[in-house]
């Protein structure tokens, strides 16, 4: 089978390697260079080394609880049960995990885990170690790698995906396409994600009519160095004993949650944001009580020195930043999407609901490894021409359907100025979009702000992309609309989606009525 994988993080690399090992003819495309994505930036590690007193069942329970009960127990059990094999496979692929004096993989603690079960490599350079090892394996495999190939759109015929159109127009056909292009951290001005994390796969899937889910759940990491260039300070630092202090030196998290600094990430991030607002300055992360900071966290230590900060002697200022998207292209636990011929894995996917409303620390690398392999293994058992069961994918809400119908209008030539385009004419800058998302669709949300964001995003148009930057901006706009409308749709607070006030009656949106847009073409989703 000809398999086309888009994206070169842990999920894409794992899927490509496993598909190659199974005898498929695999091509892997990335828009810049292999190793440029989020995986190489991951500090925290990979969860799933279950020591004495621990088990996959306890790991699954922690995952379900951190996700506010919104996760799917079967998907979560699949993740936790798969951890042992996934970590062994990484070791076999050459990943050198940090070990104890006795030679077993050392287990670190992070927030909302009942026990230490996180494997690290090079202290805080786990993602880099995994990325380097898997890239080395791919380079010596039969996988055909193409760098600088920007996947712009899915090729869909008779409802079935049969390849990808690259920016520039070249078409690559395949029997199966696996989207693994990562998340969309660049929706926000402050993010831990690298520059290329622009929701490309999610935008492609939305344009092609694939089902998406849980896009309102955006995770903000609580401890990112405050300043112009956000830099993650791993949760492992709090796991090792660091505490958060207000301007007076008090530990404000003690009043928030019984687990204080080790409470679930959404709780800590909101408390940090609120405290910073209240005191008018960033809160402080105090790691002075931890011995051997430079040895345990060399990457963070080097960055702090570069910024002239010495965390062995005093606390350092931190703020929340966008970190991870729990939602994405809806898949089952084999990565199958609602569209025959299309799979999605890693942060691009909403993998059967594995993260619920708030991802547990260090479960993302694990998700990529476990479900990247499962997707590859399912290729032969789900012939691309067969109709996939769509009943398992919830239909989109009216608002999301409306947002998705709007995408049709964007695809029309700029000369199409009929009423279906409504007032949509305004161009936008990426900075404007990011600021809007930060202010209205950020950590603390309310109905008025969300409705305003939906309305403004609907009024913006992205011109037909010619450059990678234009394609990224067009993708960000599509994903921003879907995230904002999903957030407006969920009227209660849940996990990472937090509303400051109960939702009043939804105000009318400043946009064309759905029936006006629907006249032009059948709805992409919901009509299937
Ligand atoms: C971190 O190192 O704090 C991030 C780990 C994760 O996102 O799971």
């Amino acid at each position: 089978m000809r398999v086309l994988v888009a994206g070169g993080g842990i999920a894409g690399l794992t899927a490509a390697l496993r598909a190659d090992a199974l005898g498929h003819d695999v091509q892997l495309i990335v828009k810049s260079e292999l190793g440029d994505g989020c995986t190489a930036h991951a500090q925290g590690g990979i969860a799933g080394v279950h020591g004495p007193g621990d088990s996959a069942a306890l790991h699954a329970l922690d995952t379900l609880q951190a996700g506010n009960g919104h996760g799917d127990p079967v998907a979560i059990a699949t993740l936790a049960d798969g951890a042992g094999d996934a970590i062994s496979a990484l070791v076999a692929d050459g990943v050198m995990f940090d070990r104890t004096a006795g030679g077993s993989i050392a287990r670190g603690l992070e927030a909302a885990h009942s026990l230490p079960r996180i494997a690290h490599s090079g202290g805080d350079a786990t993602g880099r170690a995994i990325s380097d090892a898997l890239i080395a394996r791919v380079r010596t495999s039969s996988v055909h790698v193409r760098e600088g190939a920007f996947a712009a759109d899915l090729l869909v015929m008779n409802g079935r995906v049969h390849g990808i159109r690259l920016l520039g127009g070249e078409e690559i056909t395949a029997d199966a396409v696996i989207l693994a292009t990562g998340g969309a951290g660049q929706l926000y001005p402050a993010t831990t994600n690298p520059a290329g994390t622009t929701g490309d796969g999610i935008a492609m899937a939305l344009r092609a009519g694939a089902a998406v889910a849980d896009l309102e759940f955006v995770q903000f990491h609580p401890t990112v160095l405050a300043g112009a260039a956000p830099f993650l300070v791993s949760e492992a630092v709090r796991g090792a004993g660091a505490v958060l202090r207000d301007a007076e030196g008090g530990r404000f998290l003690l009043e928030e949650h019984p687990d204080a600094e080790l409470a679930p990430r959404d709780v800590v991030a909101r408390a940090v944001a609120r405290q910073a607002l209240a005191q008018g300055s960033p809160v402080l992360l105090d790691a002075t009580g931890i011995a051997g900071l430079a040895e345990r966290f060399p990457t963070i230590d080097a960055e702090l020195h570069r910024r002239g900060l010495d965390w062995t002697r005093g606390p350092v200022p931190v703020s929340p930043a966008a970190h991870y998207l729990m939602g994405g292209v809806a898949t089952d636990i084999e990565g199958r999407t609602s569209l025959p011929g299309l799979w999605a894995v890693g942060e691009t996917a909403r993998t059967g609901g594995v993260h619920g409303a708030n991802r547990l620390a260090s479960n993302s690398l694990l998700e990529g490894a476990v479900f990247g392999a499962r997707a590859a293994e399912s290729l032969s058992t789900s012939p691309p021409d067969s109709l996939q069961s769509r009943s398992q994918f919830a239909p989109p809400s009216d608002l999301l359907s409306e947002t998705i119908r709007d995408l049709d209008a964007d695809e029309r030539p700029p000369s199409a100025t009929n009423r279906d385009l409504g007032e949509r004419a305004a161009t936008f800058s990426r900075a404007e979009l990011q600021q809007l998302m930060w202010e209205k669709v950020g950590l603390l949300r309310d109905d008025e702000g969300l409705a305003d964001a939906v309305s403004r995003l609907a009024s913006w148009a992205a011109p037909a992309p010619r450059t990678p930057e234009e394609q990224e901006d067009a993708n960000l706009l599509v994903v921003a609309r879907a995230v904002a409308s999903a957030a407006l749709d969920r009227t209660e607070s849940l996990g990472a989606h937090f509303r400051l006030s109960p939702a009043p009656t939804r105000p009318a949106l400043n946009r064309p009525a759905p029936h006006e847009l629907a006249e032009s073409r059948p709805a992409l989703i919901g009509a299937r």
Side-chain angles (χ1 to χ4, degrees):
M1 185 184 284
R2 289 169 309 143
V3 179
L4 179 56
V5 181
I10 185 169
L13 291 166
T14 302
L17 283 168
R18 189 60 64 94
D20 181 51
L22 291 169
H24 296 297
D25 174 9
V26 186
Q27 182 165 182
L28 174 69
I29 59 173
V30 288
K31 67 177 173 181
S32 49
E33 289 174 10
L34 275 183
D36 270 359
C38 272
T39 294
H41 289 252
Q43 296 176 359
I46 180 163
V49 186
H50 304 132
D54 198 3
S55 63
L58 189 53
H59 184 176
L61 188 62
D62 289 346
T63 303
L64 190 62
Q65 280 174 350
N68 285 258
H70 184 65
D72 177 79
V74 174
I76 291 172
T78 306
L79 177 82
D81 289 345
D85 284 351
I87 292 171
S88 299
L90 289 170
V91 171
D93 282 335
V95 180
M96 309 277 280
F97 286 111
D98 299 340
R99 302 213 168 237
T100 63
S104 48
I105 295 180
R107 298 185 305 273
L109 180 66
E110 286 176 21
H113 285 272
S114 301
L115 289 165
R117 59 166 78 98
I118 323 292
H120 293 94
S121 182
D124 56 7
T126 315
R128 171 60 63 196
I130 290 175
S131 179
D132 288 351
L134 294 182
I135 290 171
R137 286 268 292 113
V138 159
R139 297 247 188 243
T140 55
S141 72
S142 316
V143 175
H144 176 63
V145 176
R146 242 179 103 175
E147 294 170 295
F150 197 140
D153 268 307
L154 292 165
L155 301 174
V156 187
M157 196 183 290
N158 300 326
R160 190 193 146 226
V161 172
H162 65 97
I164 280 179
R165 180 180 302 105
L166 301 183
L167 181 65
E170 183 188 346
E171 295 187 352
I172 307 177
T173 57
D175 301 306
V177 170
I178 303 180
L179 290 178
T181 56
Q186 292 296 328
L187 286 172
Y188 296 90
T191 176
T192 60
N193 295 186
T197 317
T198 49
D200 303 332
I202 300 169
M204 286 164 72
L206 278 164
R207 285 192 289 262
V212 295
D214 284 350
L215 286 172
E216 63 274 36
F217 299 115
V218 179
Q219 183 169 79
F220 289 79
H221 197 289
T223 56
V224 175
L225 284 183
F231 187 87
L232 181 69
V233 182
S234 176
E235 202 151 273
V237 176
R238 275 175 286 132
V243 296
L244 285 158
R245 299 194 185 279
D246 61 25
E248 309 292 315
R251 284 183 60 195
F252 57 96
L253 270 153
L254 290 172
E255 287 159 24
E256 286 288 335
H257 194 278
D259 294 332
E261 285 82 1
L262 294 183
R265 202 172 271 175
D266 59 323
V267 175
V268 180
R270 275 194 297 276
V272 165
R274 283 189 158 131
Q275 184 58 39
L277 273 175
Q279 67 187 35
S281 62
V283 307
L284 300 167
L285 180 71
D286 183 353
T288 54
I290 305 175
L293 280 170
E295 294 74 41
R296 294 178 76 174
F297 305 105
T299 314
I300 302 167
D301 188 68
E303 179 64 21
L304 283 164
H305 276 103
R306 212 180 57 74
R307 295 180 185 216
L309 296 168
D310 184 352
W311 63 337
T312 64
R313 299 168 77 90
V316 295
V318 290
S319 304
H323 184 61
Y324 190 86
L325 188 56
M326 270 68 74
V329 184
T331 75
D332 65 11
I333 58 171
E334 322 296 346
R336 295 184 198 95
T337 71
S338 63
L339 293 181
L342 182 67
W343 279 251
V345 290
E347 196 174 343
T348 307
R350 183 261 189 197
T351 307
V354 78
H355 302 307
N358 172 54
R359 177 175 63 75
L360 182 66
S362 288
N363 266 356
S364 57
L365 291 176
L366 181 61
E367 179 197 358
V370 170
F371 293 102
R374 288 180 71 89
E377 282 155 13
S378 78
L379 292 169
S380 313
T381 55
S382 359
D385 285 328
S386 73
L387 279 184
Q388 290 167 231
S389 163
R390 291 174 185 156
S391 55
Q392 64 187 300
F393 300 109
S397 69
D398 290 349
L399 183 59
L400 185 54
S401 298
E402 201 181 313
T403 305
I404 293 162
R405 284 189 198 104
D406 278 2
L407 302 180
D408 290 354
D410 285 346
E411 287 163 9
R412 291 186 220 159
S415 58
T417 52
N418 65 28
R419 70 193 169 95
D420 285 347
L421 288 172
E423 295 302 308
R424 188 203 310 280
T427 53
F428 67 100
S429 70
R430 190 180 299 191
E432 272 176 299
L433 179 144
Q434 291 173 331
Q435 199 55 36
L436 179 69
M437 292 297 285
W438 185 258
E439 284 168 11
K440 313 270 171 152
V441 198
L443 253 170
L444 308 172
R445 304 166 173 183
D446 61 35
D447 205 64
E448 198 183 332
L450 291 172
D452 185 37
V454 167
S455 184
R456 283 183 62 197
L457 290 164
S459 75
W460 287 343
R466 282 176 307 238
T467 65
E469 293 70 29
E470 287 173 356
Q471 182 68 59
E472 288 182 342
D473 284 348
N475 292 344
L476 284 170
L477 179 59
V478 168
V479 179
R481 285 185 188 158
V483 169
S485 62
L488 183 58
D489 260 333
R490 185 172 292 281
T491 53
E492 84 282 13
S493 291
L494 185 67
H497 171 67
F498 189 83
R499 279 174 172 266
L500 286 164
S501 54
T505 311
R506 179 176 303 153
L509 300 177
N510 174 23
R511 53 203 283 146
H515 68 272
E516 292 178 304
L517 293 166
E519 278 165 20
S520 60
R521 208 167 102 181
L524 290 170
I525 290 186
R528 290 194 310 260

